[in-house]
Amino acid sequence: MKKIGFYGGKFLPLHQGHVYAIIKASTMVDELYVVLSHSEKRDQALCKGSKLSYIPSRIRLRWLSQLTKEMEHVKIVEVEDHDGDEDYNWKEGALKIREVIGQEIDVVFSSETDYDPIFKELYPKAKHILIDAKRKQCPISATEIRNKGVFHYWDYIPEVARPYFNKKVVILGTESCGKSTLTRNLALIYNTTYVNEYGREYCEDLGGCDGIILEEDYPIIAYGHKMKEYEAIKQANKIVFIDTEAVVTQFYSELYNQKHQQVLNEIARIQQYHLCLFLEPDVKWVDDGLRVHGEQQVREENNQRLKELLKENGIEFVSISGTYQERLEKAIEVIGGMFEGV
């Protein structure tokens, strides 16, 4: 007979204490069910007034799935209700858990001694096994994280969950305004990853000759850039810096091919960044072999058109101007403000 166990929680958020409990429990049974118990009403209330925004259940389910994907005898399931914290029906919840597991439960795992009486009532045939009840292995709880914020306890946030919390900062601007340099320098300062402008790489792969980018290249560039972002976000350390996004790609489609593309609008509509820094064209224009709009009047006109496109797509930004030193200092100041109180 298989020995069946389950470990449940809200995982709001998932932390290393959960990871330790899941792994240890998995060594003690033949089949372990990790149960995500969620109620939007209850979970929203838990996050209200805390330093953690509500995390949709699908995100939490995904974390658990990624975490256990190579553990063949660990099954991830979810149980939803619509109760608040005060009126949560434990008996009804237990019935749903039994139903979703569909087998006799032999062991119930938790880290809470207070759960012992209720588990004895709800699962009379199951043994309640405590894992790290005194938090010696992992001195952390989801309540503490909600109170002080994920960045305060970053070392206790599992790798599978970190990309969700990483701050995404995009650097915007027209030709020769210092985007590439600032993006790289900020990443070095914050010891994290960054994304180069994929359109430049794409053009260089074609040989870099002026006038060879076709209309159909721009959606490919936008898609390729998003894939670069995805990889950088996975490896980032609290924050990731990104040179350019879909609206800038749209700008270049208009500039070089006289084509405004709806597909680029759609990509821009769904992209999400925590901060957009817009670099004004008030530094010296540098000819790198790919740039062709060096006259200051043209630079100003292009700058205005890009701002119009950003406004059309509902993208707010912080304007940064001045010397390279002033730009760096202003960027660091704004980024610091983004982390205050989180």
Side-chain angles (χ1 to χ4, degrees), residues 169-183:
V169 178
V170 64
I171 316 298
L172 307 169
T174 54
E175 288 182 343
S176 194
C177 58
K179 297 192 303 298
S180 300
T181 300
L182 183 61
T183 301

Side-chain angles (χ1 to χ4, degrees), residues 76-305:
I76 306 299
V77 295
E78 63 176 324
V79 170
E80 182 180 15
D81 66 84
H82 304 284
D83 299 336
D85 195 40
E86 297 298 325
D87 60 347
Y88 176 67
N89 190 320
W90 282 85
K91 288 186 178 180
E92 185 177 314
L95 287 173
K96 289 182 177 180
I97 290 172
R98 290 179 183 279
E99 182 180 347
V100 75
I101 292 177
Q103 302 182 70
E104 188 66 37
I105 299 169
D106 302 299
V107 186
V108 178
F109 297 99
S110 85
S111 300
E112 305 292 340
T113 54
D114 292 345
Y115 287 168
D116 199 53
I118 190 70
F119 282 165
K120 283 182 178 178
E121 177 187 346
L122 299 176
Y123 310 99
K125 295 182 180 180
K127 183 179 180 180
H128 180 206
I129 296 181
L130 290 166
I131 298 178
D132 199 23
K134 295 183 178 180
R135 305 294 199 273
K136 289 184 177 181
Q137 179 66 33
C138 293
I140 192 59
S141 71
T143 301
E144 289 180 81
I145 295 174
R146 290 194 296 270
N147 287 340
K148 293 187 177 181
V150 292
F151 294 117
H152 187 84
Y153 292 109
W154 191 247
D155 288 343
Y156 291 107
I157 302 299
E159 184 179 342
V160 295
R162 285 183 175 185
Y164 179 82
F165 300 108
N166 281 326
K167 298 291 186 181
K168 298 182 283 293
V169 178
V170 64
I171 316 298
L172 307 169
T174 54
E175 288 182 343
S176 194
C177 58
K179 297 192 303 298
S180 300
T181 300
L182 183 61
T183 301
R184 182 196 64 232
N185 288 345
L186 287 171
L188 290 171
I189 289 170
Y190 287 88
N191 191 29
T192 189
T193 58
Y194 67 99
V195 181
N196 284 318
E197 182 181 357
Y198 182 67
R200 172 176 292 275
E201 296 179 19
Y202 189 89
C203 187
E204 289 173 347
D205 285 343
L206 293 175
C209 180
D210 186 27
I212 58 174
I213 296 292
L214 305 177
E215 176 184 325
E216 56 264 34
D217 288 325
Y218 293 97
I220 297 172
I221 290 170
Y223 174 77
H225 191 84
K226 292 304 172 191
M227 293 306 297
K228 294 277 188 179
E229 284 186 20
Y230 176 73
E231 292 302 323
I233 291 166
K234 286 199 299 184
Q235 303 299 322
N237 176 27
K238 300 181 183 179
I239 189 169
V240 61
F241 296 96
I242 301 160
D243 179 354
T244 304
E245 46 65 76
V247 175
V248 177
T249 305
Q250 180 79 276
F251 166 77
Y252 284 121
S253 177
E254 287 188 355
L255 186 65
Y256 292 118
N257 293 73
Q258 297 75 52
K259 179 68 175 180
H260 187 93
Q261 303 195 42
Q262 184 60 31
V263 64
L264 298 178
N265 283 347
E266 291 300 314
I267 295 172
R269 184 180 60 81
I270 63 173
Q271 64 188 8
Q272 293 182 330
Y273 300 106
H274 296 92
L275 177 64
C276 299
L277 302 177
F278 188 97
L279 305 188
E280 301 289 350
D282 56 350
V283 291
K284 183 180 178 181
W285 187 81
V286 178
D287 186 358
D288 65 353
L290 293 177
R291 298 168 180 158
V292 295
H293 299 88
E295 300 85 356
Q296 189 58 31
Q297 182 178 344
V298 176
R299 294 180 75 191
E300 294 292 345
E301 291 172 354
N302 288 341
N303 189 58
Q304 185 58 37
R305 178 52 186 158

